[in-house]
Amino acid sequence: MTVTPVKTAKIKFNEHGMPYSPQFEDIYFDHSISCLQSEQVFINGNNIVQNWHDLHHNNDETEFVIAETGFGTGLNFLLTLEKFRQFKQQSGNTLLRLKFISCEKYPLSRQDLQQALALWPQYQHDSEILLKQYIFNDTALTRMSFLDGLVNLDIYFCDAVQAFQQIDVIEHSLVDAWYLDGFAPSCNSDMWSDELFSEVARLAKLKSSLATFTVASIVKNGLAKVGYKIQKQKSSLNSNDAANKNETLSAIFLGERKGKPLNGFKRRNAINIEKPKHVSIIGGGLASACSALALAKKGIHSVIYCKDKGIAQGASGNAVGAIYPLLHQEQDTISKFYQQGFEHALKTYQQLLKDGYEFGHGFDGLIDVSYKDALVKRQQLFSEKNAWPHNLIHAIDSEQVDSISNIKVGHPGLFMPRAGWVCPPELVSAMMQAAVDTGFCKIKTNRHINHIKQLDNGRWLIQSNKEQKQVQHLVICAGADSLKIALLNDLPLSQVRGQVSQMQTNDKVSDLKTVLCHKGYLTPQYKNNHCIGATFDKDDGDIEPRRQDDIYNINMLEKCLGDISDFTIDDVQSSKARLRCCTPDHLPMVGQLPNMVLHKQYYQHLSKDKNWQFAEPAPIHQGLYVLTGLGARGLCSAPLLADILVAEICDEHYPVDEEMLFNLSPNRFIIRDLIKRKTC
Ligand code: SAM
């Protein structure tokens, strides 16, 4: 390869001391908004700090690679270095190293660089180290080291395409995050070439991220062509990209889809050309709260319509609920979903606590007690198959059960160290408050939606006891009330009554630290009460508490775990019966409501050939979404489902893969029925 001699940039400093390129007629950075722009566009746009924490948590990667176009003054690098230093201090991580690869066709002279960096006294120490190592010559690559060798910076002093072409990698295995900087396409069209986008994709790891300050179509289209899924971000800052002041771009590298094309009925087509501004949500429980908060984080307004006087009166109304994933011995579809949902839920709830919102909780673990021979055998199989990470679930002997639970249980068990319990109404209230505090969410209580209809203009008419409204995007998070909504009649939802009994604590159980699961469950005390439960009565819609159900809960606890608590009916402080909304395959549903009539027309041939490939994407009722069927596991699944919903509403990258998406899709039942020839 011929290496072009490096020419230094001829730059000027404007009246505010900011470096300016007469060649590109643009400034290098806008000092008036500090480093906020770099931080927002590149660091937040790539979710860099969270990614480092995730890697630290999973302990599974030792090097994080960022690649950048246009080193310029090195501000992005210095800011990233500082964030990395802070991450190390906060997390105590010793393993992770950072590699930052950049390129620069027109480097600043050392003198200009020094003058530009003097504007950032907070980075003086690192700037000096950078300046000492800032040597470029015609060999094109300069390697520098920071933070005692934990951070390495490679700068290729040549054109971006030339630079990245020099890097050899095994297929898609190098870059975790791209910073596409460089002057705007309007002033530097040469750099934003198809060759550059190909190099970017060649070096990107699958599912890696990319961020850039420009939303110019040449960039969006170029990236989409090489396998990026584009997401626009709203910026709260004014950028100097004259064409697009308020938007920046993030993207995920999905690569080209390999193997068979995805069957049409599994495809969810992009419906919304523009990200919606407003979404209406029916339901006042956890699913609504998670949806409203997830929407608010994307800058989308929502109104929650809750039929009761207060929120969380339905299935989210029990005083204490356990949060843990449903795990089988093998990594099957259900377990994988709940594993992912659990991790997502923990993160969401812990973030809420970090943000200062309060709700009763205890994440001291949950023990699934092996109280009979068949369960001891199951426990052995769990250990033998070893399908799950130790910090998710592992077997413990009966002494460990006693010591971890802090009471005498006397059986071995499967321990989930990060599981626990929360007070669902407090959680819902905290989450809705967090959504309201963003300014993007309003809650309307005492609004019973009694009629939903699609109008000729495509909008949805919703009628409540108080008002009538037309809305473009409507989400139904109505739990068991979904069964009363005529439009959802074709979905195979059922309601299951469950009664939970709140028991006065006593000397035997007051020290219990973990949730104990048997055929039912016993939670640690919260406000002097334990919850035990729950009954399971299919198609029983009555929510009046029953004395015989309290007796059932007490007896079930005694039958499984013996005299662990000595509870009697006199210890019952209160009881609540609520209705769970269930699906036949125990997975929830999220997504746009399928148009059943068209499904039967389009996909009829499935009854003859279940492997037939259809081009037609799943026909849906546009703008009407459901998030329902959470059963008794909403605490574990709702945050992930809400993020899937929002990804669908915004046409962004889904947080689950295509197969999982179909397993959660409201149209999976009609498709399975067509295959089994159950429909006509
Ligand atoms: N990332 C920089 C920072 O943190 O200070 C700012 C980058 S500045 C806005 C754009 C840089 O891209 C300039 O230094 C310019 O010389 C460089 N550049 C422009 N075209 C390039 C190309 N084709 N290859 C490599 N660098 C290029």
Side-chain angles (χ1 to χ4, degrees):
M1 174 173 309
T2 48
V3 178
T4 332
V6 183
K7 283 193 213 136
T8 48
K10 306 257 172 302
I11 69 161
K12 291 197 167 139
F13 288 88
N14 70 10
E15 67 276 23
H16 308 291
M18 286 192 281
Y20 171 81
S21 165
Q23 182 188 354
F24 293 106
E25 298 179 344
D26 206 349
I27 47 170
Y28 281 72
F29 51 70
D30 186 352
H31 190 249
S32 65
I33 48 173
S34 178
C35 333
L36 287 175
Q37 194 172 40
S38 279
E39 177 162 357
Q40 180 169 314
V41 175
F42 298 107
I43 301 207
N44 298 348
N46 275 302
N47 216 359
I48 294 278
V49 179
Q50 187 60 49
N51 285 338
W52 290 336
H53 280 284
D54 290 349
L55 288 173
H56 169 62
H57 183 71
N58 298 332
N59 226 350
D60 62 356
E61 189 95 28
T62 53
E63 187 170 64
F64 190 88
V65 180
I66 297 173
E68 177 191 52
T69 54
F71 184 73
T73 66
L75 177 62
N76 287 343
F77 169 71
L78 291 172
L79 185 64
T80 307
L81 175 61
E82 181 54 26
K83 292 278 170 196
F84 191 66
R85 182 181 281 120
Q86 288 167 6
F87 151 74
K88 287 274 181 188
Q89 280 159 2
Q90 277 167 15
S91 65
N93 175 287
T94 51
L95 288 178
L96 194 66
R97 284 174 294 113
L98 174 66
K99 186 175 181 88
F100 196 102
I101 305 170
S102 193
C103 60
E104 181 51 68
K105 191 169 177 181
Y106 311 102
L108 269 68
S109 69
R110 185 198 298 267
Q111 201 184 355
D112 285 341
L113 184 64
Q114 191 165 16
Q115 189 174 341
L117 291 178
L119 287 169
W120 311 108
Q122 65 271 46
Y123 303 133
Q124 191 190 346
H125 173 73
D126 290 326
S127 297
E128 281 168 9
I129 301 176
L130 169 66
L131 280 160
K132 258 193 216 144
Q133 303 179 85
Y134 187 74
I135 300 162
F136 49 87
N137 51 39
D138 295 350
T139 57
L141 167 64
T142 301
R143 293 221 138 111
M144 310 182 194
S145 164
F146 298 79
L147 218 66
D148 297 328
L150 279 174
V151 177
N152 287 306
L153 167 64
D154 282 2
I155 310 180
Y156 290 83
F157 286 103
C158 58
D159 176 76
V161 172
Q162 253 188 11
F164 297 122
Q165 278 175 346
Q166 293 178 51
I167 302 176
D168 267 342
V169 284
I170 318 159
E171 215 186 336
H172 302 154
S173 61
L174 185 70
V175 177
D176 294 286
W178 273 100
Y179 294 2
L180 289 197
D181 207 348
F183 294 117
S186 49
C187 3
N188 188 14
S189 57
D190 283 357
M191 192 192 85
W192 303 91
S193 62
D194 283 349
E195 286 85 353
L196 177 70
F197 298 131
S198 301
E199 280 307 305
V200 166
R202 182 180 69 85
L203 296 175
K205 285 184 186 168
L206 213 55
K207 305 245 176 100
S208 61
S209 62
L210 175 150
T212 178
F213 61 95
T214 171
V215 290
S217 337
I218 182 176
V219 177
K220 279 190 297 184
N221 297 341
L223 289 171
K225 248 204 288 187
V226 294
Y228 275 91
K229 172 97 178 157
I230 311 291
Q231 305 175 357
K232 280 192 211 167
Q233 313 276 349
K234 272 256 172 285
S235 163
S236 51
L237 301 163
N238 275 351
S239 92
N240 284 305
D241 178 10
N244 298 294
K245 287 224 180 283
N246 296 318
E247 281 181 326
T248 67
L249 186 151
S250 292
I252 305 281
F253 183 63
L254 299 179
E256 274 167 42
R257 201 175 182 283
K258 299 204 173 75
K260 274 201 281 186
L262 199 66
N263 211 326
F265 55 75
K266 293 189 179 178
R267 239 179 306 127
R268 300 182 173 208
N269 257 11
I271 307 296
N272 304 315
I273 296 141
E274 284 286 311
K275 196 158 82 174
K277 295 195 170 46
H278 191 281
V279 173
S280 301
I281 304 174
I282 300 178
L286 186 62
S288 297
C290 291
S291 302
L293 188 55
L295 286 165
K297 284 186 180 162
K298 291 277 175 196
I300 300 175
H301 290 271
S302 65
V303 174
I304 293 177
Y305 294 93
C306 170
K307 79 173 179 4
D308 304 303
K309 283 200 196 102
I311 54 170
Q313 298 296 303
S316 309
N318 284 321
V320 173
I323 157 158
Y324 65 109
L326 168 62
L327 297 176
H328 297 145
Q329 291 155 22
E330 313 274 357
Q331 289 208 4
D332 56 10
T333 303
I334 291 194
S335 313
K336 279 207 270 195
F337 168 70
Y338 284 109
Q339 176 196 20
Q340 199 178 338
F342 174 68
E343 299 294 351
H344 212 84
L346 277 189
K347 235 188 242 173
T348 309
Y349 302 155
Q350 270 152 1
Q351 186 60 48
L352 206 53
L353 291 166
K354 265 194 216 152
D355 292 343
Y357 295 95
E358 289 174 8
F359 53 90
H361 68 279
F363 296 126
D364 295 312
L366 174 146
I367 301 170
D368 195 355
V369 183
S370 301
Y371 59 89
K372 59 182 180 183
D373 288 349
L375 294 175
V376 173
K377 270 197 198 118
R378 181 184 75 132
Q379 177 167 337
Q380 277 162 1
L381 283 174
F382 250 95
S383 297
E384 280 163 24
K385 294 198 171 156
N386 200 16
W388 303 105
H390 189 82
N391 74 354
L392 184 66
I393 188 167
H394 59 271
I396 52 176
D397 62 28
S398 75
E399 273 167 22
Q400 288 170 309
V401 169
D402 291 355
S403 114
I404 292 170
S405 68
N406 209 29
I407 64 165
K408 175 99 191 98
V409 180
H411 298 286
L414 288 167
F415 180 43
M416 303 191 200
R418 291 177 296 126
W421 62 270
V422 296
C423 170
E426 290 177 7
L427 171 66
V428 172
S429 162
M431 205 170 239
M432 286 200 186
Q433 191 56 51
V436 169
D437 288 347
T438 61
F440 283 100
C441 172
K442 274 193 197 140
I443 302 169
K444 293 190 175 182
T445 51
N446 210 356
R447 295 293 197 291
H448 195 157
I449 307 290
N450 42 40
H451 188 61
I452 305 171
K453 181 178 127 184
Q454 188 162 32
L455 302 171
D456 291 342
N457 60 10
R459 294 167 75 85
W460 294 91
L461 178 78
I462 51 174
Q463 229 162 27
S464 75
N465 49 333
K466 295 256 173 92
E467 63 196 321
Q468 172 166 308
K469 279 209 105 175
Q470 283 188 32
V471 302
Q472 192 78 51
H473 300 277
L474 179 63
V475 181
I476 301 179
C477 295
D481 283 332
S482 307
L483 276 85
K484 297 182 193 147
I485 298 175
L487 272 165
L488 310 192
N489 277 352
D490 286 332
L491 298 177
L493 295 168
S494 60
Q495 60 184 15
V496 178
R497 178 192 144 95
Q499 181 164 319
V500 175
S501 316
Q502 260 181 269
M503 312 299 290
Q504 168 75 45
T505 192
N506 61 38
D507 288 349
K508 278 196 125 170
V509 279
S510 62
D511 290 337
L512 175 64
K513 263 177 74 179
T514 61
V515 178
L516 295 180
C517 281
H518 47 97
K519 198 174 167 201
Y521 59 84
L522 163 67
T523 66
Q525 58 156 314
Y526 178 52
K527 299 180 178 164
N528 293 324
N529 284 322
H530 302 264
C531 278
I532 62 170
T535 59
F536 196 87
D537 294 300
K538 282 189 189 150
D539 300 322
D540 183 341
D542 178 22
I543 56 163
E544 276 308 304
R546 298 171 191 156
R547 187 181 155 86
Q548 80 250 31
D549 283 7
D550 290 330
I551 296 171
Y552 172 89
N553 285 335
I554 294 166
N555 288 346
M556 179 163 57
L557 176 62
E558 195 182 330
K559 205 170 145 202
C560 298
L561 300 187
D563 59 356
I564 192 168
S565 68
D566 286 347
F567 287 145
T568 70
I569 191 74
D570 296 334
D571 296 319
V572 176
Q573 298 300 296
S574 70
S575 347
K576 230 172 215 175
R578 289 294 177 260
L579 305 178
R580 313 167 181 114
C581 181
C582 297
T583 64
D585 62 6
H586 309 291
L587 282 171
M589 39 175 103
V590 60
Q592 295 194 74
L593 184 71
N595 181 326
M596 297 297 185
V597 175
L598 289 184
H599 263 75
K600 286 176 202 169
Q601 273 178 28
Y602 286 12
Y603 306 127
Q604 212 182 46
H605 194 66
L606 281 175
S607 57
K608 299 203 173 79
D609 181 354
K610 67 176 180 164
N611 296 316
W612 191 261
Q613 288 289 316
F614 292 91
E616 293 88 347
I620 37 86
H621 292 286
Q622 192 167 331
L624 183 61
Y625 305 80
V626 289
L627 195 175
T628 190
L630 280 66
R633 300 194 174 269
L635 284 172
C636 182
S637 60
L640 177 58
L641 295 169
D643 281 0
I644 296 174
L645 172 85
V646 173
E648 180 137 330
I649 291 177
C650 299
D651 185 28
E652 289 187 351
H653 176 56
Y654 289 103
V656 293
D657 64 28
E658 288 160 341
E659 281 307 319
M660 183 68 78
L661 200 57
F662 180 64
N663 288 327
L664 300 170
S665 169
N667 78 339
R668 65 189 189 268
F669 301 102
I670 172 86
I671 294 294
R672 288 174 194 161
D673 284 350
L674 283 165
I675 290 172
K676 287 188 212 144
R677 295 176 213 201
K678 268 201 192 158
T679 56
C680 43

